[in-house]
Amino acid sequence: MTHLPVPSTRPDGRTTNHDRTESRREAGCEAGYIETYYADGAWCSRRYDSDIPFADGDEELEQIALGSQVARWNRLPHVIRAADGSITETIPAP
């Protein structure tokens, strides 16, 4: 089965264009992960299976810290993406 990126619009009007299946493979996290990424002028953190972030803000390090904490709580890896969408770091699950 081929999965294509599907643009989605969040309630705040921002759009995302991430293919969850390819993202999980690329990150090496088939079971799921927490992701921190940059979209529409804000740093965001979300679960791998959600289009809507659980947090967003202007500060990159603040979002990375928050995403790492949520990943630890859920015993999931934390994938950190650069502003261009490339994976810069994957922190393994505890």
Side-chain angles (χ1 to χ4, degrees):
M1 176 186 310
T2 302
H3 295 274
L4 300 174
V6 178
S8 61
T9 303
R10 300 178 349 193
D12 60 7
R14 296 181 182 165
T15 58
T16 61
N17 192 20
H18 294 286
D19 177 357
R20 298 279 181 270
T21 304
E22 284 304 314
S23 294
R24 283 197 306 268
R25 281 191 206 120
E26 180 185 15
C29 308
E30 289 294 326
Y33 56 91
I34 300 297
E35 177 181 41
T36 298
Y37 62 99
Y38 189 79
D40 296 325
W43 286 95
C44 307
S45 292
R46 67 177 172 203
R47 288 183 51 91
Y48 68 96
D49 56 356
S50 176
D51 287 334
I52 301 171
F54 56 79
D56 65 4
D58 296 332
E59 296 295 323
E60 177 183 12
L61 293 179
E62 193 173 284
Q63 285 304 309
I64 290 172
L66 183 63
S68 292
Q69 184 64 44
V70 172
R72 281 192 298 275
W73 290 341
N74 290 279
R75 299 187 188 281
L76 291 171
H78 183 204
V79 175
I80 302 166
R81 294 186 179 272
D84 67 3
S86 64
I87 295 175
T88 58
E89 185 175 3
T90 301
I91 301 169

